[in-house]
Amino acid sequence: MPPSIDHEAGVQTKDTLFFQEHTLSGRLFLPISTNQNQKLPLIIYIHGGAFCVQTPFSPTYYGHLASLVKNGNVLVVVIPYRKAPEHPLPIAYDDACDAVKWVASHVNRDGPETWINQHADFEKMFLVGDSAGANITHNVGIRFGLDEGLLGVKIAGMVLVHPFFGKSDDQRSKLLEFLFPTLEGTSDPRINPVGAGVDLRKLGFLSKILVCVAGADQKYKDRGVSYYEAVKNSGWGGVVEIVETEGEDHGFHLFNPYCDRAKRLTEQIVSFINQQS
């Protein structure tokens, strides 16, 4: 979808180049009602698509993100990453980390993107992702928690929607072998952060985490619940919450963003982001 001013949805969008070297561009969503220099919570969004499909400009994401922006009164930056198999994992993790750093480089209000300079509240910055994008979001969080960090910027929280995680007893995955040829089996912590014994206390720089699961998501619901329980029992000092949408399947809110349950999920995410820590 091209960028636009959508008066019916109450949002405006624009595209911006992140990295000339790889011609990687992302998309920004801003409420039309935003006043000049008004500061809004900043959501850095990482899209899903099994690491190999979808883009920041996909119609699949427009309805949900437009609702998130309008209802939450937030600025959303959908960041780009190169996709497998042409660019196999872990390239997506590296690109996402670089993209988050690019957004954070606007903290002094002198970055290349005007909307971020004018409207991003860097005291309320959140990482949000769905499915494979939620997997990337977790890995970005772990990486920043280990040693990379973000100078001058604090990530307030993280939202993982229907996260794409593996389990130790998974059968050999031909898809993952194709997308991630250097994967260290089903115990690889980048795919299986629970069974691999990852020290989730490394997420301690975050103050809160929300995990969203879908009740009819037979493959990934239990993995999201296990992740929530692992974080809760890890000794991490923040607040972790979980919400379940009963009767719905993986990614339902993207394919039917205006149904009642999708609206409810959006409200839950908005409430989590806007509540006082």
Side-chain angles (χ1 to χ4, degrees):
M1 291 182 66
S4 66
I5 298 176
D6 187 339
H7 290 283
E8 182 176 356
V11 302
Q12 52 190 321
T13 56
K14 67 183 294 190
D15 298 339
T16 188
L17 181 67
F18 278 63
F19 305 114
Q20 181 69 51
E21 179 183 1
H22 305 302
T23 60
L24 286 175
S25 295
R27 172 158 290 182
L28 285 71
F29 287 72
L30 184 71
I32 290 177
S33 60
T34 305
N35 298 321
Q36 186 176 9
N37 297 322
Q38 179 183 356
K39 298 300 184 288
L40 304 176
L42 170 62
I43 292 177
I44 299 179
Y45 194 94
I46 306 179
H47 71 79
F51 306 104
C52 60
V53 295
Q54 301 295 347
T55 73
F57 326 109
S58 170
T60 301
Y61 281 89
Y62 184 82
H64 171 63
L65 292 177
S67 295
L68 194 63
V69 170
K70 181 179 180 181
N71 293 319
N73 198 35
V74 298
L75 168 64
V76 169
V77 181
V78 190
I79 64 173
Y81 57 89
R82 287 172 289 171
K83 294 184 288 295
E86 293 83 0
H87 305 285
L89 289 163
I91 288 175
Y93 300 139
D94 298 333
D95 285 351
C97 284
D98 289 342
V100 173
K101 290 178 180 178
W102 182 89
V103 176
S105 72
H106 293 71
V107 67
N108 293 322
R109 312 296 172 185
D110 57 358
E113 176 46 56
T114 303
W115 281 8
I116 301 177
N117 289 335
Q118 291 181 344
H119 301 298
D121 183 347
F122 285 101
E123 295 296 316
K124 298 177 181 178
M125 176 173 159
F126 291 81
L127 299 179
V128 182
D130 73 278
S131 193
N135 173 287
I136 296 172
T137 300
H138 159 78
N139 279 283
V140 169
I142 288 290
R143 202 176 282 192
F144 286 141
L146 284 172
D147 54 13
E148 295 194 16
L150 289 172
L151 292 177
V153 175
K154 179 183 183 299
I155 302 175
M158 188 166 72
V159 181
L160 307 183
V161 182
H162 308 166
F164 182 120
F165 290 140
K167 294 201 315 186
S168 299
D169 59 355
D170 278 343
Q171 294 181 348
R172 184 174 169 182
S173 170
K174 291 184 178 180
L175 175 62
L176 278 177
E177 288 180 0
F178 187 57
L179 302 177
F180 201 163
T182 59
L183 186 72
E184 299 171 1
T186 56
S187 63
D188 192 300
R190 292 165 293 187
I191 294 295
N192 181 13
V194 175
V198 176
D199 186 359
L200 295 170
R201 290 175 297 178
K202 294 293 190 298
L203 297 170
F205 69 99
L206 301 167
S207 62
K208 55 185 182 179
I209 296 174
L210 175 66
V211 181
C212 305
V213 298
D217 186 353
Q218 295 184 8
K219 185 170 185 180
Y220 293 108
K221 173 194 169 183
D222 291 346
R223 302 173 192 211
V225 173
S226 295
Y227 179 86
Y228 158 76
E229 292 174 345
V231 172
K232 184 178 180 180
N233 298 322
S234 68
W236 170 62
V239 175
V240 59
E241 302 177 13
I242 189 168
V243 298
E244 177 180 343
T245 306
E246 295 183 359
E248 296 290 352
D249 208 342
H250 193 83
F252 77 95
H253 61 297
L254 302 175
F255 304 113
N256 191 7
Y258 305 113
C259 71
D260 289 342
R261 287 174 177 169
K263 291 178 181 178
R264 175 58 181 155
L265 178 61
T266 299
E267 290 171 358
Q268 290 168 319
I269 295 172
V270 164
S271 175
F272 176 81
I273 287 172
N274 286 327
Q275 70 188 10
Q276 296 297 321
S277 300

